[in-house]
C-alpha cells in the first residue's frame, strides 16, 4: 500500500531550514506549536499550531524558521507503492493541502504515538507503525470530508471544549455541559462529536491522559498520586483508561525514558 520512510518531531530547532527540492515522497505535517514558513511551488505558506499540511510527491518545497518564532511539528514521510489505489482522495489528487483540524488534540496524540513507536524501535515496531500510519491517513481523510460546521455550532462546541480544558480534573456531567450552552445533554454530545470527532467524555479522558503522560515523565508523583490528582479515585480505573488510551501501562510508558 505505502512505505513509511520516517517520522520526525522538530522541537523548537534553532534556525531550522530545509532546502528547496522536488520531493520524492509525500509529507504529512502537523504543527503543534508556534509558526513555520514553507514555500510550496513558489507560493509562501505560513503554518501555525493546529494546521495539518499535506505536501505531495513532486512538489517543489522548501522550509524556514520565521525570525523570532520557534515551532514544534511532526512530519511523516511516505511513498505510495506503484499501481496501488488506497481510495484516499487527498493522496491521489497531487495537490497541496493546508487544513485546520477541528480536533487538534486528538490528532496530536496520534502523531505523538506514531513518533514514539518509531523512535523506540521495540519488537514489531515496523508492523505497528504501518498500522498507525494507515489509521492516521484514514482519520485525516475523514476529517477532510467533513461538511463545514456552522459558526453557531462551532461557538457552542468551543464553549464546551473550553470548559473541559479548564475543568478536566473535576467530575463533569453531560447535564452540566448542556446547561452551559442551554441545550439538552443528547444535543450537546452530538454537537461536540460532530465538531471534534469524539464525545465530551472521551475528550475529557484524553485531556487527563495527556496530563498523566506529562506528569509521569516530568514529576516525582507516584502513579497513585497522579490518578487521584486527575480525578480517578480508583487507581484501577486510571490504569485501564491509560492502557486503553496510550496502549501500554504507566510503568511501561516511563521505562524507556528512565
Amino acid at each position: 500500500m505505502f512505505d513509511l520512510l520516517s517520522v520526525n518531531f522538530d522541537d523548537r530547532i534553532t534556525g531550522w531550514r530545509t532546502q528547496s527540492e522536488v520531493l520524492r515522497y509525500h509529507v504529512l505535517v502537523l504543527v503543534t506549536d508556534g509558526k513555520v514558513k514553507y514555500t510550496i511551488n513558489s507560493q509562501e505558506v505560513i503554518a501555525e499550531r493546529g494546521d495539518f499540511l499535506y505536501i505531495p510527491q513532486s512538489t517543489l518545497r522548501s522550509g524556514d524558521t520565521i525570525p523570532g518564532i520557534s515551532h514544534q511539528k511532526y512530519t511523516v514521510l511516505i511513498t505510495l507503492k506503484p499501481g496501488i489505489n488506497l481510495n484516499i482522495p487527498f493522496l491521489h489528487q497531487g495537490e497541496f493541502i493546508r487544513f485546520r483540524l477541528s480536533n487538534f488534540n486528538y490528532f496530536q496524540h496520534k502523531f505523538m504515538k506514531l513518533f514514539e513507536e518509531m523512535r523506540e524501535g521495540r519488537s514489531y515496531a515496523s508492523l505497528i507503525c504501518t498500522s498507525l500510519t494507515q489509521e492516521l491517513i484514514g482519520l485525516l481523510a475523514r476529517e477532510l470530508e467533513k461538511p463545514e460546521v456552522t459558526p453557531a455550532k462551532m461557538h457552542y462546541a468551543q464553549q464546551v471544549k473550553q470548559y473541559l480544558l479548564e475543568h478536566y480534573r473535576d467530575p463533569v456531567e453531560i447535564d452540566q455541559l448542556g446547561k452551559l450552552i442551554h441545550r439538552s445533554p443528547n444535543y450537546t454530545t452530538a454537537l461536540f462529536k460532530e465538531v471534534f470527532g469524539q464525545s465530551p467524555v472521551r475528550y475529557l479522558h484524553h485531556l487527563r491522559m495527556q496530563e498523566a503522560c506529562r506528569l509521569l515523565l516530568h514529576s516525582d508523583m507516584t502513579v497513585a498520586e497522579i490518578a487521584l490528582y486527575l480525578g480517578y479515585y480508583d487507581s484501577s480505573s486510571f490504569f485501564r483508561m491509560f492502557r486503553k488510551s496510550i496502549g501500554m501501562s504507566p510503568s511501561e510508558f516511563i521505562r524507556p525514558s528512565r
Side-chain angles (χ1 to χ4, degrees):
M1 300 175 69
F2 62 83
D3 289 316
L4 176 61
L5 304 181
S6 68
V7 182
N8 306 293
F9 178 56
D10 297 329
D11 187 9
R12 307 185 189 282
I13 300 173
T14 302
W16 175 87
R17 177 175 297 173
T18 184
Q19 65 182 8
S20 180
E21 63 176 335
V22 177
L23 297 178
R24 302 189 304 276
Y25 41 77
H26 303 266
V27 185
L28 311 178
V29 181
L30 179 67
V31 182
T32 58
D33 200 24
K35 296 181 180 180
V36 61
K37 181 175 72 174
Y38 281 99
T39 302
I40 307 294
N41 293 330
S42 302
Q43 296 294 317
E44 185 177 294
V45 175
I46 303 297
E48 57 187 33
R49 174 183 167 87
D51 282 344
F52 163 68
L53 308 179
Y54 167 61
I55 310 175
Q57 183 177 334
S58 301
T59 298
L60 177 62
R61 177 221 60 182
S62 64
D64 207 346
T65 302
I66 298 174
I69 302 177
S70 63
H71 73 273
Q72 294 176 313
K73 68 178 182 299
Y74 291 96
T75 57
V76 179
L77 278 56
I78 63 171
T79 56
L80 302 182
K81 293 185 177 179
I84 299 295
N85 188 341
L86 299 180
N87 293 316
I88 303 293
F90 81 86
L91 286 180
H92 294 285
Q93 289 171 352
E95 298 177 357
F96 169 75
I97 294 172
R98 177 189 175 201
F99 186 78
R100 179 158 290 272
L101 295 168
S102 60
N103 193 5
F104 165 70
N105 290 311
Y106 178 72
F107 280 98
Q108 182 180 20
H109 173 70
K110 292 292 184 182
F111 274 88
M112 179 185 71
K113 189 173 183 180
L114 174 59
F115 171 72
E116 293 291 342
E117 190 66 45
M118 191 84 166
R119 180 183 65 175
E120 291 167 12
R122 295 181 292 173
S123 56
Y124 307 108
S126 177
L127 178 64
I128 293 170
C129 287
T130 297
S131 177
L132 289 171
T133 304
Q134 186 172 343
E135 178 189 14
L136 183 58
I137 289 172
L139 290 169
L140 289 166
R142 179 183 294 170
E143 184 81 0
L144 288 166
E145 290 180 352
K146 279 184 179 180
E148 187 174 353
V149 177
T150 65
K153 284 185 175 182
M154 180 60 74
H155 173 71
Y156 289 134
Q158 289 288 0
Q159 277 188 281
V160 173
K161 183 179 181 180
Q162 188 60 39
Y163 183 87
L164 293 173
L165 285 167
E166 294 172 0
H167 298 276
Y168 67 92
R169 292 174 51 207
D170 304 328
V172 175
E173 301 292 337
I174 297 299
D175 286 351
Q176 288 176 264
L177 302 178
K179 290 176 181 177
L180 180 69
I181 61 172
H182 308 290
R183 295 294 187 274
S184 71
N186 287 342
Y187 178 89
T188 303
T189 298
L191 171 65
F192 194 91
K193 194 168 184 178
E194 177 185 349
V195 175
F196 295 116
Q198 59 185 318
S199 69
V201 172
R202 185 173 177 181
Y203 180 66
L204 174 71
H205 287 299
H206 169 76
L207 292 175
R208 289 177 174 181
M209 292 304 104
Q210 290 290 96
E211 180 66 1
C213 290
R214 188 187 71 80
L215 292 171
L216 284 167
L217 294 175
H218 303 295
S219 81
D220 294 324
M221 296 172 69
T222 67
V223 173
E225 289 170 340
I226 291 172
L228 187 62
Y229 176 78
L230 294 175
Y232 297 99
Y233 299 104
D234 176 4
S235 292
S236 62
S237 297
F238 171 76
F239 271 85
R240 286 195 300 272
M241 183 57 64
F242 192 93
R243 181 174 287 278
K244 180 179 179 181
S245 300
I246 308 302
M248 63 185 76
S249 70
S251 59
E252 290 171 331
F253 177 78
I254 62 177
R255 190 174 298 139
S257 301
R258 292 187 177 178

